[in-house]
Structure formats: C-alpha cells, structure tokens
Amino acid sequence: MDYVTQLQKQLVDYTASLFHEKFLDEQFNQLQQLQDESNPDFVVEVVSLFFEDSERLLNELGKVLEQQIIDYRKVDAHVHQLKGSSSRFSLGTRFFHGSIGAQRVQSVCITFRNYCEEKNIEGCLKCLQQVKHEYSLVKSKLDTLFKLEKQLVAAGGSIPTYVV
Amino acid sequence: MAQAIGSASQRASGFGSGGLPRNGGSAKGSGSSNRPRMTWKNNLNALVVDNERFSQHVEKGILRNFGVETEAVETGEAAVELIASGATFNLIFIDISLPAMDGPRTAMQIRAMGVQSKIIGLSSSLTEEDEEEFLRAGVDKCIEKPLTTAWLVPVLRELDGQI
C-alpha cells in the first residue's frame, strides 16, 4: 500500500470512528458539501468559529459564576445558548444515544439549568467543568481530523468523501 | 459505517440535488464548482442577521451555495440601517438573540418599515415562548438552527415561483 493510500485509509477510518462515536453526524456532511474550490477551507473555518464562540461563552459563564453576587438569570441564558449550539456538532446527541460513558453535554445543560434555579453555585461550577471537558474532547478529535486531512493533501492525495 | 466512495469525484449525495466534489484545497481552477448548485428564474437575495459567528458563516455558506446573494450583519440596528438605506431582500433571517435590540424587536421594526419580504426567525434552541414572541413580532416562520439545505430548497423554490 503506498503512502498516500495509507494516509487515506487512516483518514477514512478515523472519520468513521468519529461518526460511530457520534462526535460527528449528518450536519457535518452538510458542511462538507458546502466546501469547494471557491470555499476550500469552509469546514475548518466553521469549526474554528464554533470553538472560538463556545470558548468565549464558557469563559463568560466562568466569570459570571465568580461574582460575589451571582446573576443566575445570566447563567441560565448562557447555558441555554450552550445547549442549543452544542447540538450543532452532535455533542449532545452522542450522549442521548448513550454510546460512550463520559459526560453528556445536553443532559449536563439540563442539570446545569436546574442548579441555576436552585441557585446552587457548587452544582453550577461542577457542570461548567463537565461541559468544558466535553468541548476540549471534541476539539481535539476534530483537530486530529483536520491534521490528517492536511497530511493527506500535502502528500498529494485528495480527501475522499464519506458515506455513513 | 463510513466508507470512502472514491476520491475527489462527484459524490452520490444522500440528500440535496447532487453533491459537489470536495477538494483538499490545493486544487484550484477546475472551474466546475464555482457555479451554484441551483439557478433561479429571478435573482434571489437574502439578509442574515446573526451575531453567532459560526452559524452566520454556515447560513451564508448554504445560501450562497444555492445561488442566493447573501449579506450578513451582526446586529438588529445594522439590519434596520441597511434596509432604511434602500436595500431590499427576498428573504431575511433574524436570530432571536442579538446584542442590544433583540430578534423580535428587529423584526417588528423591519415590518414597521413596510417590508413584506419573507422573514424567518432563528434560534439556537427554540422554545414555544420564543416562537410566539417572534411570530407576534411579524416573522413568517421560526426554525431552530442550523439552517439545512433540506429546509431551504423548497422555500427558495416557492419564493422564486412567486416573483
């Protein structure tokens, strides 16, 4: 098997695992379809923006929770937004389908909002940690994916399309 | 189970009207995929009002991919200003949560200016209250993000047919 074919196989297998573990889903396919010569970096751009936006949101959440007097409505609003945007890369659905035993972002968000209602600062902080962990997990998976793609292209190969 | 179905060739798309070949980015100039996926009888254009950067990027990407000239702004005020300056759009997307003037208030102002274009309310996590507030404000419909091609195509077809 030549080097390019090897890289290609590595990429396909890795992407398959991300779909299988529900880190990625149909929406990712949609994004790939929008990528073409006039928009060669579309997927990487969208994913980067997603993590930048999410990081900002998580930092804001952290700050609000550090205040002497916590505005729980603000916390709740941020978590509401997190819950919505996290479904974008199936961060939530992968845990609804109960595949991997780790943190569940969407159900964590529900728990998070309950803690807000109860004004339970410790509960909120714990949830925040869980969500941060989940995001960094997905981010590193996608970073690996993009690195593999780059390697393949640099070696002269082209990225195969995936059918799930 | 994912499987590769060949490299850089037309993919058999599970949905939508024929996929575009996905390239690694270094291949340029083959020309074929600079054309939008669909062409319309009329020149359709859209405005996206969304300050969540990545979803704005996706919304613009999808619309442009379908041949809809798209402008995007981050605030309700900017949208109002744009329309006040005479810009017209066939389709307007407004996110519910915007800085300063929120989505519903933006929609109300735009309607108050006499705009009759189709306005769609967007939300990251749509609740019944959100939807009611938005509809009261004058949007035609609310959808939960992300915008999908499956949703968009029939809407564009309908719009194109009505002009």
Side-chain angles (χ1 to χ4, degrees):
Chain A
M1 199 188 276
D2 72 10
Y3 183 55
V4 170
T5 312
Q6 211 174 12
L7 281 180
Q8 211 169 59
K9 183 173 187 311
Q10 199 181 6
L11 180 60
V12 170
D13 288 346
Y14 189 70
T15 310
S17 75
L18 295 187
F19 273 98
H20 183 69
E21 293 168 29
K22 303 206 192 295
F23 280 106
L24 298 176
D25 66 6
E26 256 316 293
Q27 290 171 24
F28 192 72
N29 276 335
Q30 270 215 75
L31 293 181
Q32 289 183 324
Q33 291 210 322
L34 297 178
Q35 187 158 294
D36 60 19
E37 279 111 357
S38 61
N39 243 327
D41 300 310
F42 185 74
V43 179
V44 173
E45 281 167 10
V46 172
V47 173
S48 308
L49 287 173
F50 173 76
F51 282 110
E52 275 174 41
D53 284 350
S54 304
E55 210 170 313
R56 209 174 351 117
L57 193 55
L58 289 170
N59 287 337
E60 273 169 36
L61 244 177
K63 282 206 201 101
V64 176
L65 287 170
E66 274 169 21
Q67 300 306 305
Q68 290 278 20
I69 299 172
I70 297 174
D71 184 350
Y72 282 100
R73 268 174 328 157
K74 226 182 201 171
V75 178
D76 189 72
H78 284 348
V79 177
H80 181 77
Q81 196 174 350
L82 252 179
K83 181 166 170 290
S85 61
S86 72
S87 68
R88 234 56 67 76
F89 292 103
S90 79
L91 290 174
T93 60
R94 92 177 186 115
F95 297 118
F96 276 153
H97 293 248
S99 44
I100 316 270
Q103 278 69 30
R104 303 165 184 240
V105 170
Q106 293 232 326
S107 58
V108 168
C109 287
I110 292 170
T111 309
F112 208 148
R113 299 187 80 185
N114 288 338
Y115 282 134
C116 281
E117 258 188 66
E118 296 166 15
K119 302 206 189 333
N120 181 336
I121 175 70
E122 262 165 46
C124 284
L125 287 171
K126 194 174 75 158
C127 287
L128 180 59
Q129 273 314 106
Q130 287 180 318
V131 174
K132 276 183 168 171
H133 172 83
E134 186 55 31
Y135 271 89
S136 61
L137 191 61
V138 177
K139 186 164 189 298
S140 74
K141 296 274 182 182
L142 289 175
D143 279 345
T144 304
L145 177 68
F146 295 140
K147 200 160 62 177
L148 286 174
E149 287 183 353
K150 241 171 145 169
Q151 267 177 2
L152 176 59
V153 170
S158 44
I159 301 169
T161 52
Y162 316 107
V163 177
V164 185
Chain B
M1 187 66 113
Q3 45 186 195
I5 53 168
S7 42
S9 50
Q10 275 282 327
R11 104 177 37 190
S13 174
F15 58 94
S17 45
L20 293 170
R22 179 157 180 247
N23 292 287
S26 55
K28 285 204 196 298
S30 57
S32 59
S33 22
N34 283 319
R35 272 191 4 245
R37 274 206 249 177
M38 291 185 99
T39 48
W40 310 100
K41 288 188 307 202
N42 302 280
N43 283 331
L44 295 179
N45 68 344
L47 174 64
V48 168
V49 190
D50 188 349
N51 82 318
E52 195 180 31
R53 287 177 310 157
F54 88 94
S55 55
Q56 196 203 85
H57 204 71
V58 173
E59 286 141 20
K60 266 193 304 198
I62 293 179
L63 287 162
R64 284 175 181 163
N65 199 250
F66 281 97
V68 179
E69 213 178 285
T70 307
E71 266 194 74
V73 294
E74 268 98 52
T75 66
E77 290 83 352
V80 167
E81 221 179 282
L82 194 53
I83 293 171
S85 72
T88 59
F89 304 96
N90 302 112
L91 190 52
I92 302 175
F93 292 92
I94 307 178
D95 187 54
I96 198 168
S97 62
L98 299 167
M101 182 164 68
D102 69 16
R105 252 172 288 281
T106 305
M108 262 196 287
Q109 273 219 23
I110 292 177
R111 285 296 188 216
M113 291 163 80
V115 170
Q116 299 190 318
S117 320
K118 195 173 192 90
I119 304 183
I120 310 289
L122 294 174
S123 171
S124 290
S125 180
L126 192 64
T127 63
E128 238 179 76
E129 294 112 40
D130 288 346
E131 192 161 5
E132 279 169 14
E133 196 192 348
F134 238 148
L135 289 169
R136 268 199 308 267
V139 308
D140 294 290
K141 202 169 164 50
C142 286
I143 54 174
E144 192 167 278
K145 295 200 269 191
L147 185 64
T148 62
T149 57
W151 181 89
L152 185 63
V153 173
V155 171
L156 293 178
R157 281 210 172 103
E158 198 190 328
L159 267 178
D160 193 41
Q162 286 169 351
I163 299 171

